[in-house]
Amino acid sequence: KISIASDVPRGTSVLKVTAFDIDEGTNADITYSIETDSERIQENWEIDSFSGVITTKESLIGLESLTGVEDDFYSFFVKARDGGRPRKESVASVFIKILPPEVPLPKFSEPFYVSTVSEDTPIGAEIGVIRAESDQPLEYTLIKGNTAESNRDEFFVIDKQNGRLKL
């Protein structure tokens, strides 16, 4: 789930989807695609087939709400396929909420955060710090996904007040 202001410029990076494959060589090459029958999704979002970065194709002004419901999201799937034979694939759900420009959104200090953790790192050790700025009070949380890479097993925790990421 992600929220984005409607007044972002066309071509704005919204989200990066990442998949991993344990194969080697071209078998491990991952390609990404958006899976949807919705013309609205196809008209407004695109994904770089090699990087997994989802960007806006058009202006989002006027798309702030589909129904006026508070929890209203644009939803679609991203498919990741490897280069092996037979090809293997997996899908992830993406939910995007478009907010009016007057709604203040937090801004992360970095577009992506990457940390390397050695296998002998003790439980409770700090891995890094996630930083965001906002006019409103912030609460940091981790979103749990369905894969090991997305913290399904809750190996990682984040301090709600200061964004410190720990094992």
Side-chain angles (χ1 to χ4, degrees):
K1 286 183 180 179
I2 189 166
S3 297
I4 185 169
S6 64
D7 62 349
V8 298
R10 191 175 103 177
T12 297
S13 296
V14 177
L15 176 71
K16 181 175 183 177
V17 178
T18 305
F20 300 94
D21 190 311
I22 59 172
D23 290 336
E24 295 180 0
T26 58
N27 287 356
D29 291 343
I30 306 288
T31 57
Y32 300 92
S33 60
I34 290 177
E35 300 293 312
T36 184
D37 292 331
S38 167
E39 283 185 37
R40 265 196 143 153
I41 300 296
Q42 294 169 2
E43 291 170 355
N44 293 293
W45 313 101
E46 62 188 348
I47 190 165
D48 182 289
S49 62
F50 298 106
S51 70
V53 174
I54 297 171
T55 57
T56 59
K57 283 173 80 172
E58 299 294 337
S59 168
L60 303 178
I61 294 174
L63 302 178
E64 289 88 349
S65 176
L66 298 170
T67 63
V69 176
E70 179 66 26
D71 291 331
D72 206 0
F73 290 90
Y74 286 86
S75 63
F76 54 90
F77 295 102
V78 170
K79 182 190 291 183
R81 297 181 78 187
D82 72 3
R85 295 282 179 243
R87 293 187 80 172
K88 295 187 178 155
E89 59 188 45
S90 183
V91 296
S93 300
V94 174
F95 300 92
I96 301 175
K97 183 174 185 79
I98 302 172
L99 299 174
E102 64 272 7
V103 175
L105 293 174
K107 297 207 183 327
F108 286 100
S109 304
E110 303 292 328
F112 303 105
Y113 291 86
V114 178
S115 297
T116 303
V117 182
S118 65
E119 44 184 69
D120 62 347
T121 302
I123 300 296
E126 184 176 307
I127 299 167
V129 179
I130 309 300
R131 294 270 185 236
E133 296 176 9
S134 176
D135 296 336
Q136 306 293 320
L138 289 174
E139 181 177 294
Y140 295 91
T141 59
L142 293 176
I143 304 297
K144 184 170 69 169
N146 294 324
T147 65
E149 295 83 12
S150 63
N151 204 36
R152 175 190 63 208
D153 299 321
E154 299 181 354
F155 291 122
F156 304 98
V157 295
I158 194 163
D159 186 290
K160 290 181 179 187
Q161 279 74 41
N162 60 28
R164 294 187 187 281
L165 186 64
K166 297 180 180 181
L167 183 61

